[in-house]
Amino acid sequence: MKEISIIGLDLAKNVFQAHGADETGSVLLRKKLRRDQLLTFFAAQPSCTIAMEACSSSHYWGREIGNLGHTVRLIPPAYVKPFVKRHKNDAADAEAICEAALRPTMRFVAVKSEVSQAAAIVFRTRDLFVRQRTQVINALRGHLAEFGIIVAQGPAHVTKLILAVEDSEKLLPDMARPVLGALVEALHALEERIRLLDIEIARRAKEDEVARRLMTVPGIGPVIATALTALAPAAETFKRGRDFAAWLGLTPLQRSTGGKQRLGKTSKMGERTLRRLLIIGASAVVRWAARKGAVAGSWLARMLSRKPRMLVTVALANKMARIVWALMAKGGIYRAQIAAE
């Protein structure tokens, strides 16, 4: 009698779909499960491989199902889509997950621990508050422009927006002033929350030995260092620094054919938060080098002399990602002489 060797599980809020197959891919099981039935069902199954699409709840289910003795494999949704036959439904998705997991060259996502997920919340929350702050600033600038008060863009000019609202000599309608004041109060509240989160991130950076070593890299401060330790998977997941940079989406798109290489824009196919933070850190280094001058003969000086600044920024972010992987995988700290190589 054939035994189930792999089960593809399509996750949902309440109703889950399971698709079981043997090692040759022959279908042995199709079953719909309610949320309260899921763990009981897998507890009764012999140890096998359980495949799921990587999503917000997949790490929780991966930990719970893994505790029952099964091997859990998480697959990026983009790698599952090509295996969906014709119409999309839960059964077809579960079957596609099962078939994708059987491919010998398939790439999987590591299951995150509760500690890792909890550590990532501070960055997700900070990003949310920063986006909300930007929305409030843009709203203030747009409303004031309707009354002929023009303020330049950028964080350095936020004070001018606030003064324009609070200045009684400005010709603002009486109906608009209290509403604009509410936006100013919301802006102050968001800035205070971001400040408190920055303090918490800085505290974590001081306590974490890996984060302290990462901060020796130019352009990496407490926020980026702590984000890398919290959001990036284990360094052993990648064979080399180039793979880590590709996972972050800091490599160019390839549209090569016929033996001809055609490289395009940055792929942006990876961890968006870390990619954005590394580019921000790299832009600070490039901006400083453009103003004060880079070390003569260094890689950065040569790149700035012949390439556009934005291209150099992304290239430096890629280089920083490789250095980060090396420090996380092999230990040690960043040494300044590396920059000249």
Side-chain angles (χ1 to χ4, degrees):
M1 183 178 177
K2 294 183 178 179
E3 292 186 356
I4 295 176
S5 65
I6 185 167
I7 297 177
L9 180 63
D10 182 52
L11 299 176
K13 292 181 180 178
N14 298 309
V15 180
F16 301 75
Q17 181 72 38
H19 181 98
D22 61 14
E23 58 186 9
T24 65
S26 300
V27 180
L28 301 179
L29 169 73
R30 287 192 179 97
K31 189 174 182 62
K32 188 178 292 186
L33 300 163
R34 294 193 308 272
R35 187 181 184 89
D36 57 353
Q37 298 174 324
L38 194 63
L39 294 180
T40 303
F41 169 77
F42 283 112
Q45 297 295 318
S47 296
C48 61
T49 300
I50 312 298
M52 298 175 282
E53 284 185 324
C55 62
S56 58
S57 63
S58 62
H59 297 279
Y60 165 76
W61 289 116
R63 292 191 298 268
E64 293 296 319
I65 295 173
N67 291 335
L68 298 176
H70 298 289
T71 302
V72 178
R73 294 286 183 265
L74 304 184
I75 309 174
Y79 296 164
V80 175
K81 188 175 181 180
F83 294 92
V84 177
K85 299 184 180 71
R86 291 184 178 270
H87 305 292
K88 177 183 175 1
N89 53 58
D90 292 347
D93 288 346
E95 182 180 358
I97 293 169
C98 188
E99 290 190 16
L102 287 170
R103 300 302 96 196
T105 58
M106 182 55 60
R107 297 176 181 176
F108 300 103
V109 177
V111 178
K112 295 181 180 178
S113 65
E114 285 186 345
V115 174
S116 178
Q117 285 189 293
I121 291 177
V122 65
F123 301 101
R124 309 299 188 195
T125 305
R126 185 181 184 277
D127 280 347
L128 174 63
F129 288 158
V130 169
R131 289 197 301 271
Q132 290 178 344
R133 182 180 63 180
T134 302
Q135 290 174 344
V136 173
I137 292 172
N138 290 339
L140 278 172
R141 183 181 292 107
H143 291 320
L144 290 176
E146 294 178 356
F147 301 108
I149 302 173
I150 305 300
V151 178
Q153 295 182 359
H157 303 285
V158 173
T159 304
K160 297 179 182 178
L161 290 172
I162 297 173
L163 292 176
V165 174
E166 296 176 347
D167 190 353
S168 59
E169 297 183 0
K170 295 291 184 182
L171 298 178
L172 291 174
D174 293 337
M175 296 177 63
R177 195 177 293 277
V179 180
L180 293 175
L183 286 175
V184 171
E185 292 177 3
L187 180 60
H188 287 317
L190 288 169
E191 288 178 340
E192 177 62 17
R193 290 171 182 171
I194 294 171
R195 186 186 68 83
L196 292 176
L197 289 177
D198 286 340
I199 293 174
E200 172 63 17
I201 290 172
R203 183 189 65 80
R204 295 186 185 185
K206 290 180 180 179
E207 295 177 353
D208 192 295
E209 184 268 337
V210 177
R212 291 198 303 269
R213 290 193 289 107
L214 293 180
M215 284 191 290
T216 61
V217 181
I220 295 182
V223 173
I224 302 178
T226 316
L228 285 165
T229 58
L231 302 179
E236 297 76 20
T237 308
F238 309 97
K239 292 182 179 179
R240 57 185 71 87
R242 179 180 298 177
D243 296 338
F244 180 58
W247 177 79
L248 290 171
L250 287 171
T251 51
L253 284 170
Q254 282 203 45
R255 304 192 184 278
S256 306
T257 184
K260 297 180 180 179
Q261 273 202 343
R262 293 187 177 91
L263 301 181
K265 298 179 180 179
T266 308
S267 69
K268 298 183 181 180
M269 299 172 66
E271 173 53 58
R272 179 173 58 183
T273 301
L274 291 181
R275 180 176 64 249
R276 177 173 55 80
L277 289 174
L278 283 175
I279 289 177
I280 291 173
S283 66
V285 175
V286 171
R287 186 166 58 250
W288 177 267
R291 291 177 182 176
K292 304 295 183 177
V295 178
S298 66
W299 174 88
L300 184 56
R302 296 196 302 271
M303 288 290 289
L304 285 172
S305 65
R306 57 191 177 90
K307 296 291 184 180
R309 185 181 295 186
M310 192 60 213
L311 188 149
V312 176
T313 298
V314 177
L316 179 58
N318 181 296
K319 189 178 182 69
M320 289 168 60
R322 299 188 188 195
I323 294 172
V324 164
W325 177 85
L327 296 182
M328 295 177 72
K330 303 176 182 179
I333 62 173
Y334 177 80
R335 303 186 187 281
Q337 58 264 32
I338 297 176
E341 294 180 357

